[in-house]
Amino acid sequence: MNSYRVPQLAKKYTDYDMIRQHTEIPSFPDSRARLLQAFVARTDEKMDQELYALATSLVQLAMDTHDRIDTRSGDRGEQEMRSRQLNVLAGDYLSSRFYQLLAHAGKIEMIGKLSGAVSEVNARKMTLYDRMKKLLISADEYLRETVQLRMQLFLSFSDMMRDADKSLWTSLLKEFSICETLSEEMNRIRDNHQALHSYAFWHIYEHGNDEERKYLREMEIEPHVWGSLVLKYSVKKILLDKLRECTHRIQLLLQDEEGLQDLHEIEAILEPYLSYVQTSHAE
């Protein structure tokens, strides 16, 4: 089994006091990075498995950090302005580190591929945000597009994979991207400050009555009201059921494939999601 230490290596770039004090680094793309390392380890470029996983994770963190920039108009307090500025700078800094890492290793072609993927992600985000702004998206459409955005960077490595692995790589990347997305959406339920334009928001807006839809359009969500709406429309149960289905699909993929003796790492990636499903079901 390959040693996986990419999150620890990434801390060299993310654990700056100034960043930690004024902003919050998004969740590390752990499942995708670990999956990438496991599959690259089976290719002719296996010596660079850790480099690719680290560099791609830094690009993902950079984009996710930029997504946290508050674009609302109006006056802001000093602390809020400082946090906004640090989100911009932190995202730029993390993006520059990926370039430095790959350039130093002479991986110029991969810099081009990842840069192209960043452009594709940004284009898809613009389309998604425009539809969200116009309230023209369903909950399931939001979920599908969010998953695709999570996959895009990592799909840059598909041509590198062994022919025998390409189908499994793509399928597992999609399923683990779904798992990551669903887990994050369940966390957002508990924080009404992240409610706007979450899966829960779109599900309630899609199925709610006129009064509830009007309330959501006002974009000022009170915790007690949000909690009652989430409960009324069983959002957590829906997300949990989707996560359970996703973990089952991954298990079926692993059962159906042969020659996976050196990909036991995938079971380790899956384990936290299985545990979450089991624990939540017992509550």
Side-chain angles (χ1 to χ4, degrees), residues 27-260:
S27 300
F28 193 82
D30 197 60
S31 299
R32 286 166 288 163
R34 198 166 185 174
L35 186 70
L36 175 61
Q37 180 171 323
F39 272 87
V40 173
R42 293 163 60 86
T43 72
D44 293 337
E45 299 201 40
K46 60 184 177 183
M47 297 300 294
D48 296 310
Q49 56 181 282
E50 194 169 76
L51 168 66
Y52 288 149
L54 174 60
T56 309
S57 296
L58 291 178
V59 184
Q60 186 68 64
L61 287 174
M63 291 195 300
D64 292 345
T65 301
H66 280 153
D67 285 345
R68 295 192 172 203
I69 298 171
D70 187 356
T71 58
R72 292 175 302 169
S73 59
D75 295 333
R76 306 169 190 275
E78 181 179 350
Q79 182 63 31
E80 191 175 0
M81 282 299 298
R82 180 65 61 85
S83 178
R84 186 180 187 278
Q85 293 166 353
L86 261 294
N87 273 321
V88 174
L89 294 174
D92 290 347
Y93 169 75
L94 293 171
S95 184
S96 70
R97 294 307 91 184
F98 114 84
Y99 184 92
Q100 181 187 50
L101 282 168
L102 292 179
H104 182 73
K107 303 297 181 181
I108 306 304
E109 182 181 358
M110 188 50 63
I111 292 175
K113 287 185 177 182
L114 286 173
S115 297
V118 170
S119 296
E120 174 66 21
V121 168
N122 288 334
R124 295 185 74 108
K125 281 181 181 177
M126 289 177 62
T127 301
L128 175 62
Y129 294 163
D130 183 61
R131 294 191 66 203
M132 289 166 63
K133 184 177 180 180
K134 296 175 181 177
L135 301 173
L136 295 176
I137 191 167
S138 69
D140 285 341
E141 288 172 328
Y142 163 83
L143 187 61
R144 284 196 300 271
E145 193 60 29
T146 302
V147 169
Q148 186 61 42
L149 290 172
R150 287 179 182 268
M151 293 176 61
Q152 203 68 47
L153 280 180
F154 294 82
L155 285 172
S156 302
F157 295 88
S158 295
D159 290 343
M160 180 188 300
M161 302 306 176
R162 301 190 316 174
D163 289 342
D165 288 344
K166 286 182 178 179
S167 177
L168 181 61
W169 153 251
T170 304
S171 296
L172 287 175
L173 177 60
K174 178 180 179 180
E175 296 300 343
F176 279 116
S177 295
I178 293 173
C179 285
E180 280 191 354
T181 301
L182 293 171
S183 297
E184 184 167 309
E185 292 296 329
M186 282 188 277
N187 289 333
R188 294 178 73 182
I189 286 177
R190 295 191 287 269
D191 183 357
N192 72 297
H193 295 295
Q194 297 188 50
L196 294 177
H197 303 313
S198 61
Y199 176 89
F201 177 95
W202 294 113
H203 179 79
I204 295 169
Y205 189 82
E206 185 178 354
H207 297 280
N209 57 42
D210 290 343
E211 182 180 351
E212 291 164 341
R213 289 161 65 92
K214 180 177 182 297
Y215 175 78
L216 292 178
R217 285 196 297 269
E218 293 173 353
M219 304 297 181
E220 294 292 339
I221 299 177
E222 297 294 332
H224 68 284
V225 178
W226 176 247
S228 65
L229 288 173
V230 167
L231 185 62
K232 176 181 178 180
Y233 290 99
S234 306
V235 181
K236 183 177 180 180
K237 181 181 183 303
I238 292 170
L239 289 170
L240 188 60
D241 287 345
K242 288 180 179 294
L243 181 59
R244 183 181 296 107
E245 293 167 1
C246 187
T247 58
H248 182 61
R249 289 195 298 270
I250 293 173
Q251 289 175 316
L252 291 178
L253 281 170
L254 299 182
Q255 289 175 6
D256 292 342
E257 292 290 335
E258 297 180 358
L260 292 177

